[in-house]
Amino acid sequence: MFKTRQLLSALFNHRLTLERNASIDEQTAKQLKRANEENEDSAEKLQATKKLKEEPTEDEKKYPKKKVVLLLAYSGKGYYGMQRNPTATQFRTIEDELVTSLVKSGCIPENHGDDMKKMSFQRCARTDKGVSAAGQAVSLKVRLMEDIIEKINEHLPPQIRVLGLKRVTQGFNSKNNCDARTYCYMLPTLAFSPKDNDIGNMAAFRLEPETLERVNRLFASYKGTHNFHNFTSQKAASDPSARRYIIEMSCGEPFINNNTQFAVITVKGQSFMLHQIRKMIGLVIAVIKGYAKEDVIERSWGQDKVDVPKAPGLGLVLEKVHFDRYNQRFGGDGLHERLEWDQEEEAVKAFKEAHIYPSIVETERDEGSMVSWMSTLHIHDFEATAKATDTKNKDQKQDNAEEGNASD
C-alpha cells in the first residue's frame, strides 16, 4: 500500500514538473519569437535606411561624381596661404573660397564642405601667406555638370580662378603623383645692389650684367641634393626629410615695370619645405650685397645651425606642377588626358598679367617689403654658428609673428 502511494506521488510530481517545464518552454519560445520579430524589424529598418542612403539624389543621378584635377590660379594677397585651417577660421585661405564655391555651385554636396576627405580632396602644393599661384593643381571628386568651370568661377572672387579641368584615374592624388614643382620669385633688382647703395632710390637702380652672372652662379650651386635643414624651421640636420633635390635655379634678364627694374627667379625641385625657397633667395641676396661670404651657402648644408634670412613672401608664385610619371603611364592609354595645360597657357598668362604681377608691383611700391627686409640684413650673424635651441626658438617666434597659420 505504501509503495503504491509512493508511486502515485512520484507520478504526480513528474507530471507537475513536465507541466512546469512546458510552461517555461512556452514562455521561452514566446520570448524568442518576440526577439526574432524585433530583430527582423530592426533588420528591415536598417535595410530600408541603407537603401534610402544609397538611393542617389536627382543631382547625383544626373551628374555622377568623377575624379578630376582643377587648374587653379590665384593672387595670394590678403589670404593666409592655400590650406584651410579649421581651428582658425578667422584666417581666410584660398581653399576656404574654393570649397565655398564648390558647394554653392552644386559641384559637391553641402554636407561634405566641412570634411573634404569625403571628396578625396588634395592640393598639389601648400603656399605661404601672401604667396600666389599660376598653376596650382587640386584633385577631388565632383559632380561633373555642364559648364562646370564657369559655375565654380561664378562664386569665386576675381583674384581666384579655375582655369582648367581634366578627368584622372580614381586613385590619382595631386600631391603624391606630383614629380616636381616650379616656382617663380619676382623682385626689384635693387635687392642685388651693394649694401651701401641708396636703397631709397629704387627706380634709379639698374642691375649690371656681371652681377647677374654672379647671382646665377650662386643659384646654380643649389642644384642637386643637399641638406636644407637651415632653410626651414624646426628641422634637425639628422632628419632625412631635410634632404631635397633641386633641378634648376636661375634669375632671368631684368625688365622695367612702372619705372622700376624687376627680375624673375625660377626654381624647380621635387618638393620644398616651409620657407625653403625664400631662404634660398634670402641667403644669395645677403652674399651679393656683401653681408655674407660665398662659403656660407655650402656651410649651411652642414650639421651646424646657420642664421639664414628669409626673403619676403610677396614675390613668390607657384608657376607650374609636373606629373611626368603619371603622363607616361596613363597619358597615352586612350582613356585619360595628359596633365599638361598647353591650351590654358594664354589664360594663365592673362591671369598673371591682370592679377599677380600688378599686385606684386603695387604692393612693393606702396609697402616696400623688399626694402624693409633688406634693412634687417645687418642684424644677422652669418659667421657665427647659432645654438640649435636658440635658432629654433627664434624661428618659431618669427614664424608665429609673420605667418599666422601659413603653410608651406
Side-chain angles (χ1 to χ4, degrees), residues 69 122-126 135-139 171-183 247 268-272 318 320-327 339 341:
V69 163
Q122 181 62 60
R123 73 204 67 77
C124 183
R126 292 179 289 178
Q136 173 73 278
V138 297
S139 56
F172 181 85
N173 179 301
S174 60
K175 180 182 177 182
N176 297 341
N177 286 100
C178 183
D179 304 301
R181 298 155 178 85
T182 297
Y183 282 84
I247 299 167
K268 180 180 180 181
Q270 282 185 337
S271 60
F272 299 95
L318 174 60
K320 189 177 181 180
V321 291
H322 307 266
F323 300 100
D324 298 334
R325 285 177 299 173
Y326 176 86
N327 287 339
L339 290 182
W341 307 98

Side-chain angles (χ1 to χ4, degrees), residues 162-343:
V162 174
L163 300 179
L165 179 149
K166 290 190 178 184
R167 287 279 305 277
V168 288
T169 59
Q170 282 298 317
F172 181 85
N173 179 301
S174 60
K175 180 182 177 182
N176 297 341
N177 286 100
C178 183
D179 304 301
R181 298 155 178 85
T182 297
Y183 282 84
C184 290
Y185 188 88
M186 183 177 175
L187 78 172
T189 56
L190 183 68
F192 299 124
S193 65
K195 61 181 176 182
D196 55 354
N197 188 75
D198 179 14
I199 61 175
N201 193 5
M202 185 184 292
F205 181 80
R206 295 295 180 266
L207 185 64
E208 296 292 335
E210 296 79 12
T211 306
L212 179 59
E213 185 178 335
R214 187 182 176 212
V215 166
N216 278 322
R217 179 169 55 79
L218 292 173
F219 280 143
S221 68
Y222 283 123
K223 291 198 292 186
T225 302
H226 302 286
N227 189 334
F228 285 98
H229 71 99
N230 279 309
F231 293 79
T232 187
S233 60
Q234 303 187 70
K235 183 78 70 174
S238 58
D239 191 333
S241 68
R243 294 184 64 81
R244 300 292 165 125
Y245 177 58
I246 305 302
I247 299 167
E248 60 184 55
M249 189 170 190
S250 63
C251 181
E253 290 294 325
F255 57 92
I256 305 297
N257 191 310
N258 280 7
N259 299 319
T260 300
Q261 190 182 59
F262 285 84
V264 175
I265 299 162
T266 302
V267 55
K268 180 180 180 181
Q270 282 185 337
S271 60
F272 299 95
M273 296 179 290
L274 178 68
H275 306 322
Q276 181 184 339
I277 296 172
R278 291 163 61 186
K279 289 203 170 196
M280 291 167 70
I281 293 169
L283 192 57
V284 167
I285 291 174
V287 171
I288 292 294
K289 295 186 76 64
Y291 288 103
K293 297 176 182 177
E294 288 192 12
D295 66 357
V296 71
I297 295 178
E298 189 170 346
R299 187 157 51 87
S300 69
W301 300 327
Q303 295 296 304
D304 293 333
K305 278 286 183 180
V306 176
D307 188 7
V308 178
K310 178 177 61 182
L314 174 64
L316 190 59
V317 180
L318 174 60
E319 186 72 17
K320 189 177 181 180
V321 291
H322 307 266
F323 300 100
D324 298 334
R325 285 177 299 173
Y326 176 86
N327 287 339
Q328 288 173 5
R329 184 174 179 184
F330 297 105
D333 65 0
L335 298 174
H336 303 94
E337 298 178 84
R338 293 176 64 84
L339 290 182
E340 295 170 344
W341 307 98
D342 296 340
Q343 293 182 355

Side-chain angles (χ1 to χ4, degrees), residues 18-50:
L18 289 175
E19 290 176 353
R20 193 181 299 115
N21 289 342
S23 177
I24 292 172
D25 289 342
E26 188 178 351
Q27 290 176 2
T28 302
K30 287 181 179 179
Q31 290 174 352
L32 288 172
K33 185 180 179 182
R34 193 180 301 115
N36 287 335
E37 288 174 350
E38 289 175 356
N39 287 338
E40 287 175 5
D41 288 343
S42 298
E44 287 176 5
K45 287 177 182 177
L46 185 65
Q47 192 68 24
T49 304
K50 189 176 180 182

Side-chain angles (χ1 to χ4, degrees), residues 56-72:
T57 63
E58 288 302 316
D59 281 344
E60 288 173 338
K61 287 178 182 177
K62 191 175 181 181
Y63 307 116
K65 289 194 284 287
K66 302 292 182 183
K67 193 72 166 286
V68 302
V69 163
L70 301 179
L71 175 66
L72 189 66

